Amino acid sequence: MTAATGDPRRAHDVADFLARLRRLKERSGCTYRQLEERAARNGDVLPRSTIADALRRQALPRPETLSAFLRACGADDEIPLWLEARGRLAEQAPPGPPGATGGRPASGEAHAVAGGPEHGQPLVPRQLPAPPALFAGRVEELAQLDAAADDRDAPGRTVVISAIGGAGGIGKTSLALRWAHQRLDRFPDGQLYVDLRGFSPDPEPVPPDVPLRNFLEALGVAPASIPHDLDAQAALFRSVVAGRRMLIMLDNARDTTQIVPLLPGSPTCTVLVTSRHRLRGLAVTHGARLLALDRLSDAEARDLLAGHLGRHRVADQRPALDALIEHCGGLPLALAVVAARAAAHPDHPLAALAQELRDTSARLDALTAGEATTDLRAVFSWSCRALQSPAGMVFDLLGVAPGVELGLAAVASLTATPVAGCRELLRQLEDTSLVQQPAPGRFRMHDLVHLYSAQQTPAHHESADTALRRLADFYLHTAYAADRLLDPRRPPVALDAPEPGCAPQPLEGAAEAMSWFDLEHAQLIEMQQVAMRRGWYPRVWQLARTLVTFHARRRRSRDQLTVWHAGLEAARESADLTAQALAHRYLGQAYTAERRDEDAFDHLRQALRCAEQGGDTGEEARTHYALAVGWERHGDFHQALDHARQALTLVQDLGSAVEEARALNAIGWLEARLRRYDEAETNCRHALDLFRRHGHPDGEADTLHSLGLIAQHKGEHADALTYYQQALEMYREVGNTRGEAESLDSLGQVYAARRHYADAHRAWRRTLDLLDAQQRVREADLLRLRMASLPRR
């Protein structure tokens, strides 16, 4: 080994001595983990983090560490030489900062340092507050903190920094203290702690010179020796902690500027920061690992409450417990407040507290334990206080929206802000953990934060009402344009101009329109309910109208019932006969899909009556078509065919080629059900030609499916497979999962008839997935029975 490193007694200084040790480690060919394992086999305790620290720090390793390291490297016979060299260098080196075994502070960082306690021992501060009394979950987050602390060899890493971010009350400090107390053995030279009060009742955060002075005094520096200049204080702090294995916990920081002077320069130190602010600057300039906390899962929240209240009490009151968890939204502070209130009255049923929290107007009042730090409203207000005025306005208006999640374009219309400027304002809210961005361009508030925001701008306020009108018009006009992309042949609806400041979202193509509906469907239904409560009746039925194609393609008949019941009520309130006819027809079609024939025929008859009274021939024809579908589902093919022919007669008078094609396809389908295959094929081929000439892919796919049925019933299975496959491909192109399921089912039937059982099973398994997703329970159950009776080969 001496050939590789030379005689260690010739080392000029500590740096040279350490360089020779590093070469010794390189020549051994071992990783830190392998050296740790070798040391264990030798009977030595030598954690790999200790080895890494010993080779990186500018101080001599302890004699026992040095000996264990040399034995692990296979240099047992050289131990006396290395210990002699170490002793000589230790005698020559001037006194270092408290806790150092040797070495010299960096130039320009040396100041007078007071000695430690008696006998010259360095001070070892233990400043961490007590760990949280009860803690649940956060397994993954604790593991991430471990990984960051272990990653001391990252390129350019001078100090390990983990920054825990998240909303007020999300449990950042609890997580940090939990981790720190479980890992105290990592920090034998002490732990420093400060609450920087970045978000607190205090009007201003703690300036960095205050904790710096406290840290230095805790480390044994005489108060008179602490310089007044902030930079000099920070330099002295770095010198004092250099080479020491310490934890510095900086709790509740406002921003990166407040933190930087408190950072050590030694890789042996670990810094743990908590802040509501997303400390991107700290990640850029100091390589900090950012860890964002989200709400607790329901299971974790249940464990937390059970820990507070006792498992017997919560086991006996499970429904009330679940309600409490729902109302707290997985926010640890809210759960802790609820637990404290419940624990104060152990004989009271949890249902009483759950009932109190059910009222959203009073929920935040109930979520307080009587002090500012445990009052949800106060805790949220400290985050808002850090916002600049335009971002604060956006925060207040977000509470006006009916849901907790919005897209960027929707927020821009809500706030009457250009999209680019709105993105920057939302970034400020995200940086302060008042909103999250779960996907690009999607912004979500925690339920309780949204409730707080809503109370900042009451719904009856003029600005709130105007903002809500803009949002309603954003959804209405964007959805209408999206529906026109899906079915441009559908009769148009005359919409009022959108509110000033509203900018509907531009969409390109049918695929993007379907994706937008998938993303915004829940918000559209919420917005319709708001419009109904506010008496904006035309918007109510018009919003329902924009969802028809999407609901049909996704086979969402129950959602169709929801929006059109509201649409019918709105049409009646505004005495709009045309809108009433629409509402009754779409309700009838949705009830037909749900196999509720009595309700279906009742609404379809009323739709026909309204259309006749209003002289709306087109709507009358469309209602006859809906009645044809209803009677076909009911099993009366003759009555169904009669309505289909009435529909054809009416639309031919109107000159609507697409609606004529739809009626022809219905006639062909019904004739096939009546085994009139030649007539059926003639009508369906005529319909297919019209659909193709006028660019209607849904109708084209429906007609291909009809032709497949005709071929199947005629025993022309090869032709049937071709038609069904073409229909399937076209349904997939337009995102029509309803038609996709029906084509796959039909393909399975043909495969089964041809005894291609494996192909039939494959098609029907895919059909089942779609039926389950569309909640078509009865059809799925029947298909499972068919599959069970089918041979596997």
Side-chain angles (χ1 to χ4, degrees):
M1 288 294 179
T2 53
T5 62
D7 190 338
R9 293 172 296 183
R10 294 183 180 179
H12 304 298
D13 52 22
V14 173
D16 186 13
F17 183 86
L18 293 172
R20 292 168 185 262
L21 281 178
R22 285 191 289 272
R23 287 198 296 273
L24 184 62
K25 185 256 181 190
E26 291 168 5
R27 290 290 181 176
S28 75
C30 293
T31 64
Y32 289 130
R33 182 183 293 277
Q34 290 168 334
L35 288 174
E36 180 182 38
E37 292 170 351
R38 281 190 178 187
R41 287 196 294 271
N42 294 334
D44 294 322
V45 177
L46 189 65
R48 56 184 180 276
S49 58
T50 301
I51 305 171
D53 289 348
L55 296 184
R56 189 184 295 111
R57 61 197 289 184
Q58 293 302 307
L60 292 168
R62 293 183 174 90
E64 60 273 19
T65 299
L66 176 60
S67 298
F69 173 75
L70 292 166
R71 279 192 290 273
C73 288
D76 306 56
D77 55 343
E78 297 182 31
I79 291 176
L81 299 178
W82 287 92
L83 289 176
E84 181 183 343
R86 182 201 176 283
R88 177 179 58 81
L89 290 170
E91 291 175 358
Q92 294 175 356
T101 314
R104 184 186 302 273
S107 175
E109 293 188 359
H111 285 273
V113 178
E118 54 183 336
H119 308 303
Q121 294 298 318
L123 291 175
V124 180
R126 307 288 187 189
Q127 295 187 345
L128 288 179
L134 291 167
F135 188 87
R138 306 299 195 196
V139 174
E140 183 178 341
E141 290 85 353
L142 289 168
Q144 290 183 47
L145 292 174
D146 279 338
D150 288 337
D151 188 18
R152 296 181 178 276
D153 294 323
R157 180 68 60 85
T158 56
V159 60
V160 176
I161 307 172
S162 293
I164 305 172
I170 204 69
K172 301 177 293 295
T173 301
S174 292
L175 173 66
L177 289 173
R178 173 77 165 194
W179 181 83
H181 279 279
Q182 288 183 337
R183 310 296 188 272
L184 287 179
D185 60 322
R186 293 174 179 251
F187 313 111
D189 296 325
Q191 307 93 39
L192 297 170
Y193 171 88
V194 62
D195 180 355
L196 292 171
R197 301 185 182 278
F199 301 88
S200 74
D202 297 341
E204 296 295 333
V206 176
D209 63 312
V210 174
L212 269 177
R213 179 173 291 275
N214 292 337
F215 284 174
L216 289 168
E217 290 183 8
L219 290 165
V221 178
S225 300
I226 299 175
H228 295 290
D229 178 71
L230 178 63
D231 290 339
Q233 288 178 354
L236 177 58
F237 175 65
R238 291 192 296 272
S239 297
V240 171
V241 300
R244 300 185 69 175
R245 295 180 62 195
M246 297 190 69
L247 173 69
I248 296 97
M249 181 170 168
L250 308 176
D251 194 17
N252 195 14
R254 169 64 68 89
D255 52 32
T256 299
T257 304
Q258 189 187 22
I259 296 166
V260 169
L262 306 175
L263 298 179
S266 173
T268 60
C269 292
T270 295
V271 179
L272 201 51
V273 183
T274 73
S275 178
R276 300 186 193 184
H277 200 280
R278 297 187 65 182
L279 302 171
R280 290 192 179 96
L282 198 63
V284 172
T285 58
H286 290 77
R289 293 277 192 92
L290 303 183
L291 174 59
L293 282 195
D294 202 350
R295 65 183 70 198
L296 294 175
S297 68
D298 286 353
E300 291 170 333
R302 194 171 291 110
D303 286 344
L304 191 65
L305 286 179
H308 276 284
L309 303 177
R311 298 199 176 273
H312 291 299
R313 185 178 181 189
V314 300
D316 294 339
Q317 304 181 66
R318 181 64 181 268
L321 181 73
D322 290 345
L324 290 174
I325 290 170
E326 179 185 354
H327 298 326
C328 291
L331 194 71
L333 178 57
L335 290 163
V337 170
V338 163
R341 291 192 57 193
H345 299 284
D347 297 329
H348 290 192
L350 296 180
L353 184 53
Q355 179 63 35
E356 185 179 349
L357 291 175
R358 187 169 287 114
D359 180 4
T360 56
S361 64
R363 186 174 299 166
L364 291 178
D365 294 324
L367 289 173
T368 178
E371 298 177 3
T373 55
T374 56
D375 183 323
L376 263 292
R377 190 177 276 107
V379 168
F380 295 154
S381 73
W382 303 333
S383 296
C384 295
R385 195 170 59 198
L387 296 174
Q388 298 176 1
S389 179
M393 177 273 294
V394 172
F395 175 80
D396 291 345
L397 289 181
L398 282 173
V400 172
V404 298
E405 181 177 314
L406 293 175
L408 173 61
V411 181
S413 284
L414 174 73
T415 59
T417 307
V419 169
C422 187
R423 181 183 286 109
E424 171 58 25
L425 295 173
L426 285 166
R427 188 191 63 77
Q428 293 181 35
L429 296 183
E430 186 183 7
D431 282 348
T432 320
S433 299
L434 287 167
V435 301
Q436 294 175 303
Q437 190 174 183
R442 304 291 299 177
F443 297 89
R444 179 187 298 148
M445 272 184 163
H446 187 279
D447 308 63
L448 294 175
V449 176
H450 183 261
L451 189 56
Y452 173 78
S453 172
Q455 294 178 359
Q456 304 312 295
T457 307
H460 62 269
H461 193 278
E462 182 179 355
S463 64
D465 183 76
T466 304
L468 203 51
R469 287 178 183 273
R470 288 194 299 265
L471 186 62
D473 282 350
F474 166 82
Y475 279 120
L476 175 59
H477 284 264
T478 307
Y480 181 73
D483 182 64
R484 299 297 293 172
L485 288 171
L486 299 181
D487 188 357
R489 304 294 178 181
R490 193 180 291 279
V493 175
L495 304 181
D496 290 338
E499 286 282 321
C502 169
Q505 183 173 343
L507 300 170
E508 295 184 8
E512 188 174 348
M514 283 297 289
S515 297
W516 187 83
F517 273 124
D518 280 326
L519 203 58
E520 299 286 2
H521 184 256
Q523 286 77 11
L524 285 162
I525 291 181
E526 288 173 337
M527 197 71 251
Q528 191 206 32
Q529 293 168 353
V530 169
M532 189 68 208
R533 289 195 296 271
R534 293 193 166 237
W536 303 338
Y537 298 128
R539 287 183 176 95
V540 176
W541 69 261
Q542 287 166 358
L543 277 166
R545 176 62 189 77
T546 67
L547 285 162
V548 167
T549 309
F550 173 74
H551 282 164
R553 289 188 179 181
R554 290 288 186 259
R555 217 283 189 176
R556 304 186 74 142
S557 50
R558 292 177 189 174
D559 290 325
Q560 186 82 326
L561 289 172
T562 298
V563 299
W564 277 109
H565 273 298
L568 178 59
E569 185 181 349
R572 284 171 171 165
E573 288 288 344
S574 54
D576 187 329
L577 201 60
T578 300
Q580 289 178 51
L582 272 177
H584 279 302
R585 175 166 63 84
Y586 284 123
L587 283 170
Q589 290 174 319
Y591 278 124
T592 297
E594 289 294 304
R595 299 185 180 277
R596 293 172 56 177
D597 292 351
E598 185 176 345
D599 291 322
F601 289 130
D602 178 56
H603 280 288
L604 290 174
R605 291 187 189 102
Q606 292 188 67
L608 199 58
R609 196 158 46 245
C610 289
E612 290 169 347
Q613 289 175 6
D616 190 336
T617 305
E619 189 57 34
E620 189 179 345
R622 289 185 283 276
T623 304
H624 276 296
Y625 175 85
L627 281 163
V629 174
W631 282 113
E632 189 263 341
R633 294 283 179 89
H634 193 64
D636 190 334
F637 301 143
H638 292 284
Q639 183 136 226
L641 184 58
D642 180 59
H643 281 290
R645 285 172 173 161
Q646 289 186 67
L648 178 62
T649 301
L650 290 168
V651 297
Q652 284 175 332
D653 291 342
L654 292 173
S656 171
V658 168
E659 297 204 49
E660 180 181 351
R662 186 178 285 116
L664 283 167
N665 179 48
I667 291 170
W669 175 271
L670 290 164
E671 287 171 335
R673 300 300 298 270
L674 291 168
R675 300 184 181 182
R676 304 172 187 173
Y677 299 125
D678 291 340
E679 300 168 61
E681 188 169 0
T682 299
N683 283 312
C684 286
R685 289 197 179 281
H686 188 188
L688 185 64
D689 180 60
L690 287 172
F691 278 131
R692 283 175 171 169
R693 275 194 282 134
H694 293 277
H696 197 282
D698 285 282
E700 184 178 343
D702 288 342
T703 309
L704 286 167
H705 192 272
S706 297
L707 287 167
L709 176 75
I710 295 166
Q712 179 184 349
H713 284 188
K714 290 169 68 177
E716 299 168 354
H717 290 158
D719 289 342
L721 286 174
T722 299
Y723 285 127
Y724 286 144
Q725 193 64 49
Q726 289 175 352
L728 176 63
E729 291 170 3
M730 187 154 287
Y731 282 132
R732 283 176 173 165
E733 283 180 14
V734 299
N736 189 331
T737 53
R738 183 269 311 164
E740 186 180 347
E742 291 168 3
S743 294
L744 283 167
D745 184 18
S746 297
L747 278 169
Q749 293 176 35
V750 178
Y751 285 134
R754 300 184 76 180
R755 298 185 179 180
H756 295 174
Y757 300 127
D759 291 332
H761 273 288
R762 246 190 317 273
W764 282 343
R765 277 196 297 270
R766 288 153 62 197
T767 307
L768 274 178
D769 291 339
L770 291 166
L771 293 177
D772 288 338
Q774 295 165 22
Q775 299 180 351
R776 297 163 71 173
V777 178
R778 181 175 176 275
E779 293 166 79
D781 289 343
L782 290 173
L783 181 54
R784 286 188 175 93
L785 289 174
R786 264 191 285 156
M787 293 176 70
S789 64
L790 194 69
R792 287 287 172 180
R793 295 183 181 180

